[in-house]
Amino acid sequence: MPPPEAPAGSARQGGRAALERAVRHAGPSLPAGLPDILDLSRTAMFGHSLGGATAAESMCAGLPIAAGADLDGSLFGEEVMRGLDKPLLLLGADGEDDATWQAAWPHLRGWRRSLRLTGSRHFSFTDYETLLPQAAAGLGVTRAQLDDFIGPLESRRSLTVQRDILRAFFGLHLHGHAAPLLNGPTTHYPEIVFPQTP
């Protein structure tokens, strides 16, 4: 017979203690002094593609992560079937929503938003968005090839919108700041599409 599950509160406490031990004893892998000033009671996670899916799965697995953001990553694992009670932001490239996002949506019981960035592609959420336009001429990359890879949305604008979305999301869920940007379409951010209602 399997052991009984620990209460949710004790699982969170155990998860936070494990995270604190890992960070405090990280040795030279973190800059000197950083482990001593990190506030691990307000930890969030985001990532692109598999990294974004990992953020969602990590919260579902009980890690002490207050909120997570998935940047254009197909979901996998338990959050699709069992659901999630913590805040999750799904920020996708221009086009149709990923089928796994649609499957997970009804099971996301916490705060949730599904956004799409018009004029972006899968690699718009990576360093390619910054580096490729600068290196395009030297590499012989055409504008059409750039548009295929990172989308036609101008790179600086794409990065500004991405940063503002993530800043609003984490400001809301880690600091309690108002985030009107995440409430619905706005004239200041016409590139942001809300394909699902919260």
Side-chain angles (χ1 to χ4, degrees), residues 104-143:
W105 188 254
H107 307 291
L108 300 177
R109 296 176 297 273
W111 185 101
R112 62 185 183 169
R113 288 296 182 279
S114 176
L115 310 177
R116 216 168 27 238
L117 183 56
T118 303
S120 68
R121 300 289 182 269
H122 184 66
F123 288 104
S124 297
F125 304 99
T126 70
D127 291 343
Y128 287 126
E129 185 69 67
T130 299
L131 300 176
L132 271 185
Q134 297 177 56
L139 296 172
V141 175
T142 67
R143 181 68 246 181

PDB file of all heavy atoms in Angstrom, residues 104-143:
ATOM      1  N   ALA A 104      -5.509  21.932 -22.165  1.00  0.00           N
ATOM      2  CA  ALA A 104      -5.243  22.280 -20.765  1.00  0.00           C
ATOM      3  C   ALA A 104      -6.139  23.395 -20.253  1.00  0.00           C
ATOM      4  O   ALA A 104      -6.414  23.469 -19.049  1.00  0.00           O
ATOM      5  CB  ALA A 104      -3.775  22.678 -20.600  1.00  0.00           C
ATOM      6  N   TRP A 105      -6.590  24.268 -21.131  1.00  0.00           N
ATOM      7  CA  TRP A 105      -7.287  25.494 -20.726  1.00  0.00           C
ATOM      8  C   TRP A 105      -8.413  25.252 -19.716  1.00  0.00           C
ATOM      9  O   TRP A 105      -8.480  25.933 -18.678  1.00  0.00           O
ATOM     10  CB  TRP A 105      -7.807  26.230 -21.963  1.00  0.00           C
ATOM     11  CG  TRP A 105      -8.355  27.583 -21.656  1.00  0.00           C
ATOM     12  CD1 TRP A 105      -9.672  27.958 -21.620  1.00  0.00           C
ATOM     13  CD2 TRP A 105      -7.609  28.754 -21.320  1.00  0.00           C
ATOM     14  NE1 TRP A 105      -9.794  29.278 -21.297  1.00  0.00           N
ATOM     15  CE2 TRP A 105      -8.543  29.800 -21.108  1.00  0.00           C
ATOM     16  CE3 TRP A 105      -6.255  29.029 -21.171  1.00  0.00           C
ATOM     17  CZ2 TRP A 105      -8.148  31.084 -20.764  1.00  0.00           C
ATOM     18  CZ3 TRP A 105      -5.862  30.316 -20.822  1.00  0.00           C
ATOM     19  CH2 TRP A 105      -6.809  31.330 -20.621  1.00  0.00           C
ATOM     20  N   PRO A 106      -9.324  24.303 -19.938  1.00  0.00           N
ATOM     21  CA  PRO A 106     -10.411  24.103 -18.969  1.00  0.00           C
ATOM     22  C   PRO A 106      -9.931  23.607 -17.608  1.00  0.00           C
ATOM     23  O   PRO A 106     -10.668  23.702 -16.619  1.00  0.00           O
ATOM     24  CB  PRO A 106     -11.306  23.036 -19.631  1.00  0.00           C
ATOM     25  CG  PRO A 106     -10.875  22.957 -21.044  1.00  0.00           C
ATOM     26  CD  PRO A 106      -9.454  23.414 -21.091  1.00  0.00           C
ATOM     27  N   HIS A 107      -8.717  23.090 -17.543  1.00  0.00           N
ATOM     28  CA  HIS A 107      -8.197  22.519 -16.295  1.00  0.00           C
ATOM     29  C   HIS A 107      -7.286  23.493 -15.536  1.00  0.00           C
ATOM     30  O   HIS A 107      -6.758  23.136 -14.484  1.00  0.00           O
ATOM     31  CB  HIS A 107      -7.430  21.230 -16.595  1.00  0.00           C
ATOM     32  CG  HIS A 107      -8.230  20.251 -17.399  1.00  0.00           C
ATOM     33  ND1 HIS A 107      -9.335  19.590 -16.897  1.00  0.00           N
ATOM     34  CD2 HIS A 107      -8.104  19.857 -18.690  1.00  0.00           C
ATOM     35  CE1 HIS A 107      -9.845  18.817 -17.832  1.00  0.00           C
ATOM     36  NE2 HIS A 107      -9.125  18.960 -18.935  1.00  0.00           N
ATOM     37  N   LEU A 108      -7.112  24.695 -16.068  1.00  0.00           N
ATOM     38  CA  LEU A 108      -6.307  25.712 -15.378  1.00  0.00           C
ATOM     39  C   LEU A 108      -7.249  26.465 -14.444  1.00  0.00           C
ATOM     40  O   LEU A 108      -8.035  27.309 -14.866  1.00  0.00           O
ATOM     41  CB  LEU A 108      -5.650  26.656 -16.392  1.00  0.00           C
ATOM     42  CG  LEU A 108      -4.713  25.993 -17.397  1.00  0.00           C
ATOM     43  CD1 LEU A 108      -4.179  27.026 -18.394  1.00  0.00           C
ATOM     44  CD2 LEU A 108      -3.570  25.275 -16.699  1.00  0.00           C
ATOM     45  N   ARG A 109      -7.172  26.141 -13.164  1.00  0.00           N
ATOM     46  CA  ARG A 109      -8.120  26.661 -12.181  1.00  0.00           C
ATOM     47  C   ARG A 109      -7.637  27.939 -11.509  1.00  0.00           C
ATOM     48  O   ARG A 109      -8.420  28.628 -10.848  1.00  0.00           O
ATOM     49  CB  ARG A 109      -8.408  25.582 -11.132  1.00  0.00           C
ATOM     50  CG  ARG A 109      -9.086  24.354 -11.712  1.00  0.00           C
ATOM     51  CD  ARG A 109      -9.271  23.275 -10.671  1.00  0.00           C
ATOM     52  NE  ARG A 109      -7.994  22.778 -10.163  1.00  0.00           N
ATOM     53  CZ  ARG A 109      -7.299  21.785 -10.728  1.00  0.00           C
ATOM     54  NH1 ARG A 109      -7.757  21.193 -11.815  1.00  0.00           N
ATOM     55  NH2 ARG A 109      -6.158  21.390 -10.217  1.00  0.00           N
ATOM     56  N   GLY A 110      -6.372  28.259 -11.646  1.00  0.00           N
ATOM     57  CA  GLY A 110      -5.856  29.498 -11.086  1.00  0.00           C
ATOM     58  C   GLY A 110      -6.007  30.634 -12.090  1.00  0.00           C
ATOM     59  O   GLY A 110      -6.685  30.507 -13.112  1.00  0.00           O
ATOM     60  N   TRP A 111      -5.368  31.754 -11.795  1.00  0.00           N
ATOM     61  CA  TRP A 111      -5.343  32.870 -12.745  1.00  0.00           C
ATOM     62  C   TRP A 111      -4.726  32.346 -14.042  1.00  0.00           C
ATOM     63  O   TRP A 111      -3.731  31.630 -14.027  1.00  0.00           O
ATOM     64  CB  TRP A 111      -4.485  33.995 -12.147  1.00  0.00           C
ATOM     65  CG  TRP A 111      -4.462  35.259 -12.939  1.00  0.00           C
ATOM     66  CD1 TRP A 111      -5.170  36.392 -12.676  1.00  0.00           C
ATOM     67  CD2 TRP A 111      -3.662  35.548 -14.097  1.00  0.00           C
ATOM     68  NE1 TRP A 111      -4.871  37.354 -13.608  1.00  0.00           N
ATOM     69  CE2 TRP A 111      -3.949  36.860 -14.489  1.00  0.00           C
ATOM     70  CE3 TRP A 111      -2.740  34.821 -14.848  1.00  0.00           C
ATOM     71  CZ2 TRP A 111      -3.346  37.472 -15.588  1.00  0.00           C
ATOM     72  CZ3 TRP A 111      -2.141  35.413 -15.944  1.00  0.00           C
ATOM     73  CH2 TRP A 111      -2.443  36.726 -16.306  1.00  0.00           C
ATOM     74  N   ARG A 112      -5.298  32.718 -15.181  1.00  0.00           N
ATOM     75  CA  ARG A 112      -4.784  32.225 -16.460  1.00  0.00           C
ATOM     76  C   ARG A 112      -4.999  33.272 -17.547  1.00  0.00           C
ATOM     77  O   ARG A 112      -5.995  33.997 -17.532  1.00  0.00           O
ATOM     78  CB  ARG A 112      -5.489  30.921 -16.847  1.00  0.00           C
ATOM     79  CG  ARG A 112      -6.981  31.103 -17.035  1.00  0.00           C
ATOM     80  CD  ARG A 112      -7.721  29.827 -17.299  1.00  0.00           C
ATOM     81  NE  ARG A 112      -9.146  30.142 -17.536  1.00  0.00           N
ATOM     82  CZ  ARG A 112     -10.026  29.296 -18.002  1.00  0.00           C
ATOM     83  NH1 ARG A 112      -9.681  28.052 -18.287  1.00  0.00           N
ATOM     84  NH2 ARG A 112     -11.281  29.660 -18.189  1.00  0.00           N
ATOM     85  N   ARG A 113      -4.047  33.314 -18.462  1.00  0.00           N
ATOM     86  CA  ARG A 113      -4.185  34.129 -19.667  1.00  0.00           C
ATOM     87  C   ARG A 113      -3.516  33.386 -20.808  1.00  0.00           C
ATOM     88  O   ARG A 113      -2.441  32.797 -20.645  1.00  0.00           O
ATOM     89  CB  ARG A 113      -3.509  35.499 -19.531  1.00  0.00           C
ATOM     90  CG  ARG A 113      -4.182  36.487 -18.632  1.00  0.00           C
ATOM     91  CD  ARG A 113      -5.571  36.907 -19.126  1.00  0.00           C
ATOM     92  NE  ARG A 113      -6.140  37.901 -18.233  1.00  0.00           N
ATOM     93  CZ  ARG A 113      -6.747  37.627 -17.077  1.00  0.00           C
ATOM     94  NH1 ARG A 113      -6.865  36.382 -16.663  1.00  0.00           N
ATOM     95  NH2 ARG A 113      -7.235  38.592 -16.333  1.00  0.00           N
ATOM     96  N   SER A 114      -4.168  33.465 -21.962  1.00  0.00           N
ATOM     97  CA  SER A 114      -3.594  32.957 -23.196  1.00  0.00           C
ATOM     98  C   SER A 114      -3.485  34.147 -24.134  1.00  0.00           C
ATOM     99  O   SER A 114      -4.493  34.778 -24.467  1.00  0.00           O
ATOM    100  CB  SER A 114      -4.495  31.870 -23.795  1.00  0.00           C
ATOM    101  OG  SER A 114      -3.991  31.430 -25.036  1.00  0.00           O
ATOM    102  N   LEU A 115      -2.264  34.470 -24.515  1.00  0.00           N
ATOM    103  CA  LEU A 115      -2.008  35.619 -25.390  1.00  0.00           C
ATOM    104  C   LEU A 115      -1.253  35.155 -26.627  1.00  0.00           C
ATOM    105  O   LEU A 115      -0.514  34.178 -26.583  1.00  0.00           O
ATOM    106  CB  LEU A 115      -1.162  36.678 -24.676  1.00  0.00           C
ATOM    107  CG  LEU A 115      -1.597  37.141 -23.292  1.00  0.00           C
ATOM    108  CD1 LEU A 115      -0.588  38.131 -22.730  1.00  0.00           C
ATOM    109  CD2 LEU A 115      -2.979  37.750 -23.344  1.00  0.00           C
ATOM    110  N   ARG A 116      -1.440  35.898 -27.705  1.00  0.00           N
ATOM    111  CA  ARG A 116      -0.684  35.634 -28.917  1.00  0.00           C
ATOM    112  C   ARG A 116      -0.050  36.945 -29.377  1.00  0.00           C
ATOM    113  O   ARG A 116      -0.685  38.001 -29.298  1.00  0.00           O
ATOM    114  CB  ARG A 116      -1.628  35.080 -29.992  1.00  0.00           C
ATOM    115  CG  ARG A 116      -0.991  34.055 -30.855  1.00  0.00           C
ATOM    116  CD  ARG A 116      -1.920  33.268 -31.746  1.00  0.00           C
ATOM    117  NE  ARG A 116      -3.132  33.888 -32.158  1.00  0.00           N
ATOM    118  CZ  ARG A 116      -4.339  33.381 -31.911  1.00  0.00           C
ATOM    119  NH1 ARG A 116      -4.476  32.273 -31.227  1.00  0.00           N
ATOM    120  NH2 ARG A 116      -5.413  33.992 -32.341  1.00  0.00           N
ATOM    121  N   LEU A 117       1.181  36.875 -29.838  1.00  0.00           N
ATOM    122  CA  LEU A 117       1.904  38.069 -30.273  1.00  0.00           C
ATOM    123  C   LEU A 117       1.890  38.131 -31.796  1.00  0.00           C
ATOM    124  O   LEU A 117       2.581  37.364 -32.474  1.00  0.00           O
ATOM    125  CB  LEU A 117       3.342  38.031 -29.739  1.00  0.00           C
ATOM    126  CG  LEU A 117       4.220  39.241 -30.028  1.00  0.00           C
ATOM    127  CD1 LEU A 117       3.582  40.533 -29.517  1.00  0.00           C
ATOM    128  CD2 LEU A 117       5.601  39.055 -29.415  1.00  0.00           C
ATOM    129  N   THR A 118       1.090  39.035 -32.338  1.00  0.00           N
ATOM    130  CA  THR A 118       0.959  39.180 -33.779  1.00  0.00           C
ATOM    131  C   THR A 118       2.314  39.528 -34.409  1.00  0.00           C
ATOM    132  O   THR A 118       3.047  40.364 -33.892  1.00  0.00           O
ATOM    133  CB  THR A 118      -0.056  40.299 -34.109  1.00  0.00           C
ATOM    134  OG1 THR A 118      -1.295  39.977 -33.485  1.00  0.00           O
ATOM    135  CG2 THR A 118      -0.254  40.445 -35.605  1.00  0.00           C
ATOM    136  N   GLY A 119       2.627  38.858 -35.513  1.00  0.00           N
ATOM    137  CA  GLY A 119       3.875  39.136 -36.224  1.00  0.00           C
ATOM    138  C   GLY A 119       5.080  38.421 -35.662  1.00  0.00           C
ATOM    139  O   GLY A 119       6.213  38.704 -36.055  1.00  0.00           O
ATOM    140  N   SER A 120       4.860  37.475 -34.739  1.00  0.00           N
ATOM    141  CA  SER A 120       5.981  36.734 -34.142  1.00  0.00           C
ATOM    142  C   SER A 120       6.005  35.304 -34.667  1.00  0.00           C
ATOM    143  O   SER A 120       5.045  34.830 -35.274  1.00  0.00           O
ATOM    144  CB  SER A 120       5.878  36.730 -32.618  1.00  0.00           C
ATOM    145  OG  SER A 120       4.756  35.964 -32.202  1.00  0.00           O
ATOM    146  N   ARG A 121       7.134  34.618 -34.417  1.00  0.00           N
ATOM    147  CA  ARG A 121       7.295  33.202 -34.735  1.00  0.00           C
ATOM    148  C   ARG A 121       7.851  32.507 -33.493  1.00  0.00           C
ATOM    149  O   ARG A 121       8.171  33.148 -32.495  1.00  0.00           O
ATOM    150  CB  ARG A 121       8.246  33.000 -35.917  1.00  0.00           C
ATOM    151  CG  ARG A 121       7.813  33.664 -37.214  1.00  0.00           C
ATOM    152  CD  ARG A 121       6.608  32.978 -37.840  1.00  0.00           C
ATOM    153  NE  ARG A 121       6.243  33.591 -39.110  1.00  0.00           N
ATOM    154  CZ  ARG A 121       5.362  34.584 -39.238  1.00  0.00           C
ATOM    155  NH1 ARG A 121       4.763  35.093 -38.171  1.00  0.00           N
ATOM    156  NH2 ARG A 121       5.080  35.079 -40.421  1.00  0.00           N
ATOM    157  N   HIS A 122       8.016  31.204 -33.575  1.00  0.00           N
ATOM    158  CA  HIS A 122       8.477  30.423 -32.428  1.00  0.00           C
ATOM    159  C   HIS A 122       9.792  30.968 -31.865  1.00  0.00           C
ATOM    160  O   HIS A 122       9.974  31.043 -30.647  1.00  0.00           O
ATOM    161  CB  HIS A 122       8.639  28.958 -32.837  1.00  0.00           C
ATOM    162  CG  HIS A 122       9.025  28.050 -31.712  1.00  0.00           C
ATOM    163  ND1 HIS A 122       8.192  27.783 -30.635  1.00  0.00           N
ATOM    164  CD2 HIS A 122      10.166  27.344 -31.490  1.00  0.00           C
ATOM    165  CE1 HIS A 122       8.796  26.947 -29.809  1.00  0.00           C
ATOM    166  NE2 HIS A 122       9.994  26.663 -30.296  1.00  0.00           N
ATOM    167  N   PHE A 123      10.716  31.369 -32.731  1.00  0.00           N
ATOM    168  CA  PHE A 123      12.028  31.819 -32.254  1.00  0.00           C
ATOM    169  C   PHE A 123      12.067  33.304 -31.915  1.00  0.00           C
ATOM    170  O   PHE A 123      13.119  33.824 -31.551  1.00  0.00           O
ATOM    171  CB  PHE A 123      13.117  31.456 -33.269  1.00  0.00           C
ATOM    172  CG  PHE A 123      13.404  29.982 -33.292  1.00  0.00           C
ATOM    173  CD1 PHE A 123      12.928  29.174 -34.311  1.00  0.00           C
ATOM    174  CD2 PHE A 123      14.122  29.386 -32.258  1.00  0.00           C
ATOM    175  CE1 PHE A 123      13.179  27.805 -34.309  1.00  0.00           C
ATOM    176  CE2 PHE A 123      14.376  28.027 -32.249  1.00  0.00           C
ATOM    177  CZ  PHE A 123      13.902  27.229 -33.282  1.00  0.00           C
ATOM    178  N   SER A 124      10.916  33.968 -31.985  1.00  0.00           N
ATOM    179  CA  SER A 124      10.860  35.369 -31.554  1.00  0.00           C
ATOM    180  C   SER A 124      11.116  35.505 -30.062  1.00  0.00           C
ATOM    181  O   SER A 124      11.474  36.582 -29.592  1.00  0.00           O
ATOM    182  CB  SER A 124       9.484  35.970 -31.872  1.00  0.00           C
ATOM    183  OG  SER A 124       9.240  35.992 -33.246  1.00  0.00           O
ATOM    184  N   PHE A 125      10.918  34.422 -29.315  1.00  0.00           N
ATOM    185  CA  PHE A 125      11.043  34.457 -27.856  1.00  0.00           C
ATOM    186  C   PHE A 125      12.433  34.013 -27.401  1.00  0.00           C
ATOM    187  O   PHE A 125      12.614  33.611 -26.257  1.00  0.00           O
ATOM    188  CB  PHE A 125       9.956  33.579 -27.237  1.00  0.00           C
ATOM    189  CG  PHE A 125       8.573  33.975 -27.681  1.00  0.00           C
ATOM    190  CD1 PHE A 125       7.936  33.288 -28.697  1.00  0.00           C
ATOM    191  CD2 PHE A 125       7.938  35.063 -27.109  1.00  0.00           C
ATOM    192  CE1 PHE A 125       6.669  33.660 -29.130  1.00  0.00           C
ATOM    193  CE2 PHE A 125       6.672  35.448 -27.533  1.00  0.00           C
ATOM    194  CZ  PHE A 125       6.036  34.746 -28.549  1.00  0.00           C
ATOM    195  N   THR A 126      13.404  34.090 -28.300  1.00  0.00           N
ATOM    196  CA  THR A 126      14.778  33.694 -27.996  1.00  0.00           C
ATOM    197  C   THR A 126      15.728  34.841 -28.331  1.00  0.00           C
ATOM    198  O   THR A 126      15.310  35.894 -28.839  1.00  0.00           O
ATOM    199  CB  THR A 126      15.197  32.458 -28.828  1.00  0.00           C
ATOM    200  OG1 THR A 126      15.340  32.851 -30.201  1.00  0.00           O
ATOM    201  CG2 THR A 126      14.176  31.332 -28.716  1.00  0.00           C
ATOM    202  N   ASP A 127      17.019  34.611 -28.109  1.00  0.00           N
ATOM    203  CA  ASP A 127      18.035  35.614 -28.448  1.00  0.00           C
ATOM    204  C   ASP A 127      18.105  35.894 -29.939  1.00  0.00           C
ATOM    205  O   ASP A 127      18.649  36.919 -30.352  1.00  0.00           O
ATOM    206  CB  ASP A 127      19.421  35.158 -27.964  1.00  0.00           C
ATOM    207  CG  ASP A 127      19.539  35.168 -26.447  1.00  0.00           C
ATOM    208  OD1 ASP A 127      18.695  35.811 -25.787  1.00  0.00           O
ATOM    209  OD2 ASP A 127      20.468  34.539 -25.918  1.00  0.00           O
ATOM    210  N   TYR A 128      17.570  35.000 -30.754  1.00  0.00           N
ATOM    211  CA  TYR A 128      17.562  35.254 -32.201  1.00  0.00           C
ATOM    212  C   TYR A 128      16.857  36.558 -32.531  1.00  0.00           C
ATOM    213  O   TYR A 128      17.201  37.223 -33.496  1.00  0.00           O
ATOM    214  CB  TYR A 128      16.864  34.113 -32.948  1.00  0.00           C
ATOM    215  CG  TYR A 128      17.655  32.833 -33.029  1.00  0.00           C
ATOM    216  CD1 TYR A 128      17.102  31.632 -32.593  1.00  0.00           C
ATOM    217  CD2 TYR A 128      18.954  32.812 -33.545  1.00  0.00           C
ATOM    218  CE1 TYR A 128      17.817  30.444 -32.663  1.00  0.00           C
ATOM    219  CE2 TYR A 128      19.670  31.624 -33.620  1.00  0.00           C
ATOM    220  CZ  TYR A 128      19.101  30.448 -33.176  1.00  0.00           C
ATOM    221  OH  TYR A 128      19.805  29.277 -33.248  1.00  0.00           O
ATOM    222  N   GLU A 129      15.855  36.915 -31.745  1.00  0.00           N
ATOM    223  CA  GLU A 129      15.103  38.145 -31.999  1.00  0.00           C
ATOM    224  C   GLU A 129      16.018  39.365 -31.970  1.00  0.00           C
ATOM    225  O   GLU A 129      15.842  40.314 -32.735  1.00  0.00           O
ATOM    226  CB  GLU A 129      13.980  38.297 -30.968  1.00  0.00           C
ATOM    227  CG  GLU A 129      13.062  39.467 -31.208  1.00  0.00           C
ATOM    228  CD  GLU A 129      12.191  39.303 -32.438  1.00  0.00           C
ATOM    229  OE1 GLU A 129      11.316  38.421 -32.439  1.00  0.00           O
ATOM    230  OE2 GLU A 129      12.385  40.059 -33.414  1.00  0.00           O
ATOM    231  N   THR A 130      17.021  39.336 -31.107  1.00  0.00           N
ATOM    232  CA  THR A 130      17.979  40.438 -31.013  1.00  0.00           C
ATOM    233  C   THR A 130      19.152  40.264 -31.972  1.00  0.00           C
ATOM    234  O   THR A 130      19.567  41.205 -32.654  1.00  0.00           O
ATOM    235  CB  THR A 130      18.533  40.529 -29.572  1.00  0.00           C
ATOM    236  OG1 THR A 130      17.451  40.791 -28.685  1.00  0.00           O
ATOM    237  CG2 THR A 130      19.559  41.629 -29.447  1.00  0.00           C
ATOM    238  N   LEU A 131      19.684  39.046 -32.020  1.00  0.00           N
ATOM    239  CA  LEU A 131      20.951  38.823 -32.725  1.00  0.00           C
ATOM    240  C   LEU A 131      20.817  38.734 -34.247  1.00  0.00           C
ATOM    241  O   LEU A 131      21.656  39.261 -34.977  1.00  0.00           O
ATOM    242  CB  LEU A 131      21.624  37.552 -32.193  1.00  0.00           C
ATOM    243  CG  LEU A 131      21.957  37.567 -30.702  1.00  0.00           C
ATOM    244  CD1 LEU A 131      22.524  36.229 -30.265  1.00  0.00           C
ATOM    245  CD2 LEU A 131      22.920  38.697 -30.376  1.00  0.00           C
ATOM    246  N   LEU A 132      19.795  38.055 -34.729  1.00  0.00           N
ATOM    247  CA  LEU A 132      19.690  37.837 -36.176  1.00  0.00           C
ATOM    248  C   LEU A 132      19.562  39.129 -36.987  1.00  0.00           C
ATOM    249  O   LEU A 132      20.233  39.269 -38.008  1.00  0.00           O
ATOM    250  CB  LEU A 132      18.538  36.893 -36.493  1.00  0.00           C
ATOM    251  CG  LEU A 132      18.876  35.411 -36.497  1.00  0.00           C
ATOM    252  CD1 LEU A 132      17.671  34.592 -36.937  1.00  0.00           C
ATOM    253  CD2 LEU A 132      20.063  35.100 -37.408  1.00  0.00           C
ATOM    254  N   PRO A 133      18.718  40.078 -36.589  1.00  0.00           N
ATOM    255  CA  PRO A 133      18.645  41.314 -37.382  1.00  0.00           C
ATOM    256  C   PRO A 133      19.992  42.043 -37.467  1.00  0.00           C
ATOM    257  O   PRO A 133      20.306  42.647 -38.487  1.00  0.00           O
ATOM    258  CB  PRO A 133      17.600  42.151 -36.639  1.00  0.00           C
ATOM    259  CG  PRO A 133      16.739  41.144 -35.961  1.00  0.00           C
ATOM    260  CD  PRO A 133      17.688  40.054 -35.538  1.00  0.00           C
ATOM    261  N   GLN A 134      20.777  41.959 -36.395  1.00  0.00           N
ATOM    262  CA  GLN A 134      22.088  42.613 -36.416  1.00  0.00           C
ATOM    263  C   GLN A 134      23.075  41.897 -37.330  1.00  0.00           C
ATOM    264  O   GLN A 134      23.945  42.520 -37.937  1.00  0.00           O
ATOM    265  CB  GLN A 134      22.665  42.662 -35.001  1.00  0.00           C
ATOM    266  CG  GLN A 134      21.845  43.475 -34.022  1.00  0.00           C
ATOM    267  CD  GLN A 134      22.425  43.424 -32.620  1.00  0.00           C
ATOM    268  OE1 GLN A 134      23.584  43.749 -32.414  1.00  0.00           O
ATOM    269  NE2 GLN A 134      21.624  43.000 -31.663  1.00  0.00           N
ATOM    270  N   ALA A 135      22.951  40.579 -37.403  1.00  0.00           N
ATOM    271  CA  ALA A 135      23.912  39.783 -38.169  1.00  0.00           C
ATOM    272  C   ALA A 135      23.433  39.440 -39.568  1.00  0.00           C
ATOM    273  O   ALA A 135      24.181  38.846 -40.353  1.00  0.00           O
ATOM    274  CB  ALA A 135      24.202  38.486 -37.410  1.00  0.00           C
ATOM    275  N   ALA A 136      22.193  39.810 -39.904  1.00  0.00           N
ATOM    276  CA  ALA A 136      21.581  39.365 -41.157  1.00  0.00           C
ATOM    277  C   ALA A 136      22.417  39.707 -42.384  1.00  0.00           C
ATOM    278  O   ALA A 136      22.662  38.852 -43.242  1.00  0.00           O
ATOM    279  CB  ALA A 136      20.178  39.946 -41.285  1.00  0.00           C
ATOM    280  N   ALA A 137      22.867  40.949 -42.488  1.00  0.00           N
ATOM    281  CA  ALA A 137      23.618  41.364 -43.678  1.00  0.00           C
ATOM    282  C   ALA A 137      24.899  40.559 -43.818  1.00  0.00           C
ATOM    283  O   ALA A 137      25.233  40.075 -44.910  1.00  0.00           O
ATOM    284  CB  ALA A 137      23.921  42.859 -43.611  1.00  0.00           C
ATOM    285  N   GLY A 138      25.627  40.393 -42.750  1.00  0.00           N
ATOM    286  CA  GLY A 138      26.877  39.639 -42.779  1.00  0.00           C
ATOM    287  C   GLY A 138      26.678  38.170 -43.099  1.00  0.00           C
ATOM    288  O   GLY A 138      27.558  37.513 -43.665  1.00  0.00           O
ATOM    289  N   LEU A 139      25.515  37.635 -42.725  1.00  0.00           N
ATOM    290  CA  LEU A 139      25.219  36.231 -42.985  1.00  0.00           C
ATOM    291  C   LEU A 139      24.536  36.006 -44.330  1.00  0.00           C
ATOM    292  O   LEU A 139      24.303  34.871 -44.737  1.00  0.00           O
ATOM    293  CB  LEU A 139      24.311  35.669 -41.873  1.00  0.00           C
ATOM    294  CG  LEU A 139      24.902  35.626 -40.466  1.00  0.00           C
ATOM    295  CD1 LEU A 139      23.829  35.234 -39.448  1.00  0.00           C
ATOM    296  CD2 LEU A 139      26.075  34.645 -40.410  1.00  0.00           C
ATOM    297  N   GLY A 140      24.184  37.101 -45.003  1.00  0.00           N
ATOM    298  CA  GLY A 140      23.470  36.971 -46.272  1.00  0.00           C
ATOM    299  C   GLY A 140      22.014  36.565 -46.110  1.00  0.00           C
ATOM    300  O   GLY A 140      21.419  35.978 -47.005  1.00  0.00           O
ATOM    301  N   VAL A 141      21.437  36.886 -44.961  1.00  0.00           N
ATOM    302  CA  VAL A 141      20.041  36.540 -44.679  1.00  0.00           C
ATOM    303  C   VAL A 141      19.132  37.646 -45.207  1.00  0.00           C
ATOM    304  O   VAL A 141      19.346  38.824 -44.919  1.00  0.00           O
ATOM    305  CB  VAL A 141      19.823  36.350 -43.160  1.00  0.00           C
ATOM    306  CG1 VAL A 141      18.353  36.112 -42.843  1.00  0.00           C
ATOM    307  CG2 VAL A 141      20.675  35.204 -42.642  1.00  0.00           C
ATOM    308  N   THR A 142      18.131  37.275 -45.983  1.00  0.00           N
ATOM    309  CA  THR A 142      17.211  38.253 -46.555  1.00  0.00           C
ATOM    310  C   THR A 142      16.123  38.621 -45.550  1.00  0.00           C
ATOM    311  O   THR A 142      15.906  37.916 -44.550  1.00  0.00           O
ATOM    312  CB  THR A 142      16.542  37.698 -47.819  1.00  0.00           C
ATOM    313  OG1 THR A 142      15.690  36.611 -47.438  1.00  0.00           O
ATOM    314  CG2 THR A 142      17.579  37.226 -48.835  1.00  0.00           C
ATOM    315  N   ARG A 143      15.416  39.703 -45.845  1.00  0.00           N
ATOM    316  CA  ARG A 143      14.302  40.117 -44.995  1.00  0.00           C
ATOM    317  C   ARG A 143      13.235  39.022 -44.951  1.00  0.00           C
ATOM    318  O   ARG A 143      12.647  38.739 -43.906  1.00  0.00           O
ATOM    319  CB  ARG A 143      13.707  41.423 -45.526  1.00  0.00           C
ATOM    320  CG  ARG A 143      12.557  41.982 -44.714  1.00  0.00           C
ATOM    321  CD  ARG A 143      13.006  42.474 -43.354  1.00  0.00           C
ATOM    322  NE  ARG A 143      12.439  41.664 -42.281  1.00  0.00           N
ATOM    323  CZ  ARG A 143      12.649  41.884 -40.996  1.00  0.00           C
ATOM    324  NH1 ARG A 143      13.425  42.868 -40.602  1.00  0.00           N
ATOM    325  NH2 ARG A 143      12.116  41.113 -40.082  1.00  0.00           N
TER     326      ARG A 143
END
